[in-house]
Amino acid sequence: MDFDYDLFVIGGGSGGVRAARVAAGEAGAKVGLAEGDRYGGTCVIRGCVPKKLMVFASEYSGIAADAQAYGWQASITDFSWDTFKGKLNEELDRLEGVYRRLLAGSGVETFDQRARIADAHTVELADGTKKTAKTILIATGGTPVRPDIPGADLGIVSDDIFHLPELPKKMLIVGGGYIACEFACIMNGLGVDVTLYYRGAQILRGFDDEARGLIADEMIADGIKLHTGTNVLEMKEEGGKVWTKATNGSTDTFDAVMFATGRKPATTDMGLEEVGVELGRSGQVIVDEYSQTAVPSIYAIGDATDRVNLTPVAIREGMAFVETVFKGNKTAVDHELIPSAVFTQPEMGTIGLSEEQAAQQEPVEVYVTSFRPMQSSFAGRQTRVLMKLVVSQATRKVLGCHIVAPGAGEMIQLAGIAVKMGATKEDFDRVCAVHPTMSEELVTMRKPTRTA
């Protein structure tokens, strides 16, 4: 059978674009790609990139006070949301243009419209046009979840926060995951009065308990009103503001309410189940280790599969897919020991098992230190950082590394190389410290703080 394309990709995010252009540019495949929104996906347009730029913007608020402590005559005036938002939009437009040029330069034919599956080898575009392909790749990403409560439509989700017409004076953020905590720190840094409700006992569930406890303490010290064991019951419009009632019985009004209560795969109304693709309980596409679905000609990568929802992972899955399908080199993606960062203030960098996870698996030694770093201590700030290694008693391997500190994301990238290689505690000890730095503590902790 003759097909219009060797590969048709549905989704123009980081994973889909990488797979499309490598298949076309390196493997010589004829490739089509459909994207119903902006090219770049969650990361470039609605996630990592604009969020990190907002993190940078928010961190300037404390620079003047620190500079004064170091002898500089410095001051920072009010933050201009309009100025920042204009520059942000220019940058996102530029990045989207880069993605489009990369696809065009690789010979990928693009369609600026939504697509769904018609059969195992056919996609139907929004205008009714049908395209056939030997292989179809689902790379549609994920989308924020809005809770089912009265008045929920009055709130925004993470996709909306970059488009706020003006910066709210008082804001409620609902949720306790990394998105909720990052935006709580961002908005607080930009001068917003921030309250955060989380229904659980402690924010950042799934991360190391000691690390997330320090972040919670620092958020509170920075002025964020953090309420755990608390959720929103209902919301209504009141005088141009949002009135809320919480599970603890309290009521309050806010200029804006943001829900960061989870994300789900963007697989609704795509015709997947109708052609035999299996979906999980949250709508995730079920795939094998090679990203292949129950339909042999259909594959899926990235957040649509809800495996490890990180941009670099989606890109690696896309590369492995091309190796497997177009280069004859069956390649499974390694989802073990992936470093990641949470861009709160201070940041958290992490790789491997938390102390709690490791202790359930085997006897461990825990090496941990928490201290006031030189730069902020000199400036009179009480901010603390944390360096932590979780070590197997039997093999001496470092099972987990957790850093809470300014620049933790940068540090964990390098520490992650050692942990991924299987470094032992003694391997860390053999490395000479770089002094004076915060990270030198990772190689100078000689005696375990405790065993578990």
Side-chain angles (χ1 to χ4, degrees):
M1 178 179 176
D2 289 333
F3 297 104
D4 297 327
Y5 301 95
D6 300 308
L7 170 66
F8 199 98
V9 179
I10 303 178
S14 297
V17 167
R18 178 64 65 89
R21 66 187 189 88
V22 173
E26 294 184 11
K30 185 178 182 184
V31 181
L33 182 146
E35 169 56 59
D37 201 336
R38 299 186 66 179
Y39 287 70
T42 297
C43 179
V44 173
I45 303 299
R46 297 173 290 277
C48 326
V49 171
K51 173 197 70 183
K52 191 66 183 289
L53 292 170
M54 287 186 75
V55 168
F56 291 145
S58 69
E59 288 176 338
Y60 283 104
S61 58
I63 282 182
D66 283 1
Q68 288 172 7
Y70 277 87
W72 290 94
Q73 297 300 311
S75 64
I76 289 183
T77 56
D78 291 342
F79 172 73
S80 169
W81 174 246
D82 286 343
T83 299
F84 172 77
K85 192 169 69 167
K87 189 78 185 298
L88 177 66
N89 288 332
E90 288 176 8
E91 178 64 4
L92 299 187
D93 289 345
R94 185 188 72 81
L95 291 171
E96 183 179 14
V98 169
Y99 269 62
R100 286 181 177 273
R101 287 192 296 275
L102 286 171
L103 287 167
S106 299
V108 177
E109 186 176 2
T110 56
F111 302 89
D112 293 358
Q113 51 188 303
R114 191 175 190 274
R116 62 194 310 276
I117 304 292
D119 63 43
H121 292 283
T122 308
V123 299
E124 182 176 357
L125 301 176
D127 64 6
T129 305
K130 291 185 176 180
K131 302 291 183 181
T132 61
K134 185 176 181 181
T135 303
I136 297 171
L137 179 64
I138 307 298
T140 49
T143 188
V145 173
R146 194 182 295 269
D148 183 17
I149 61 169
D153 59 305
L154 296 171
I156 65 171
V157 293
S158 58
D159 287 359
D160 307 317
I161 199 160
F162 311 109
H163 308 293
L164 289 171
E166 58 187 26
L167 205 62
K169 291 183 172 61
K170 183 178 177 183
M171 184 175 193
L172 171 65
I173 296 177
V174 183
Y178 72 94
I179 295 174
C181 294
E182 287 175 339
F183 277 110
C185 292
I186 287 168
M187 301 308 276
N188 180 64
L190 296 180
V192 178
D193 179 356
V194 176
T195 300
L196 188 144
Y197 288 171
Y198 177 51
R199 64 184 181 182
Q202 181 59 287
I203 58 170
L204 296 170
R205 180 169 62 89
F207 291 93
D208 185 86
D209 280 358
E210 200 167 12
R212 64 192 183 126
L214 177 58
I215 291 172
D217 290 344
E218 293 296 331
M219 287 171 66
I220 293 167
D222 282 345
I224 296 169
K225 302 176 182 70
L226 177 59
H227 298 274
T228 54
T230 308
N231 208 347
V232 175
L233 280 176
E234 61 175 305
M235 296 165 34
K236 62 184 179 183
E237 193 273 335
E238 189 176 88
K241 299 182 184 295
V242 183
W243 176 91
T244 64
K245 182 176 182 181
T247 49
N248 61 11
S250 66
T251 61
D252 206 343
T253 57
F254 299 92
D255 297 307
V257 176
M258 173 183 161
F259 294 113
T261 48
R263 295 175 63 83
K264 65 179 181 180
T267 57
T268 305
D269 189 32
M270 285 195 60
L272 293 169
E273 289 182 296
E274 290 86 337
V275 300
V277 173
E278 184 183 354
L279 299 181
R281 290 178 59 185
S282 63
Q284 75 271 30
V285 182
I286 304 299
V287 294
D288 66 11
E289 61 183 324
Y290 302 106
S291 297
Q292 190 174 34
T293 72
V295 179
S297 59
I298 300 178
Y299 290 71
I301 60 171
D303 291 8
T305 66
D306 198 24
R307 289 177 283 181
V308 179
N309 297 336
L310 296 169
T311 299
V313 176
I315 290 171
R316 283 186 170 234
E317 289 170 356
M319 298 288 282
F321 159 77
V322 175
E323 286 289 327
T324 298
V325 176
F326 292 97
K327 296 187 178 182
N329 176 27
K330 290 194 78 171
T331 304
V333 178
D334 181 2
H335 289 108
E336 297 299 316
L337 292 174
I338 296 171
S340 64
V342 179
F343 294 105
T344 44
Q345 295 173 23
E347 292 177 14
M348 173 165 61
T350 182
I351 183 171
L353 301 177
S354 67
E355 178 181 343
E356 297 71 38
Q357 291 166 337
Q360 289 180 350
Q361 174 180 295
E362 60 181 290
V364 295
E365 290 180 351
V366 180
Y367 297 79
V368 61
T369 181
S370 180
F371 55 94
R372 292 171 63 197
M374 179 189 296
Q375 184 177 13
S376 56
S377 177
F378 185 87
R381 288 195 283 124
Q382 301 301 310
T383 304
R384 299 189 69 81
V385 300
L386 177 142
M387 307 281 164
K388 182 172 185 175
L389 297 175
V390 182
V391 179
S392 166
Q393 290 189 27
T395 67
R396 306 300 299 156
K397 278 188 177 181
V398 176
L399 303 176
C401 177
H402 311 282
I403 303 171
V404 178
E410 304 290 346
M411 289 186 237
I412 203 65
Q413 179 71 81
L414 300 180
I417 298 171
V419 175
K420 184 71 173 176
M421 290 177 68
T424 63
K425 178 62 171 65
E426 287 66 35
D427 289 328
F428 273 67
D429 292 345
R430 282 200 300 272
V431 178
C432 193
V434 178
H435 182 76
T437 65
M438 291 181 288
S439 56
E440 69 181 294
E441 297 290 337
L442 291 173
V443 300
T444 58
M445 295 184 286
R446 294 297 181 219
K447 294 184 179 181
T449 307
R450 57 183 172 269
T451 58

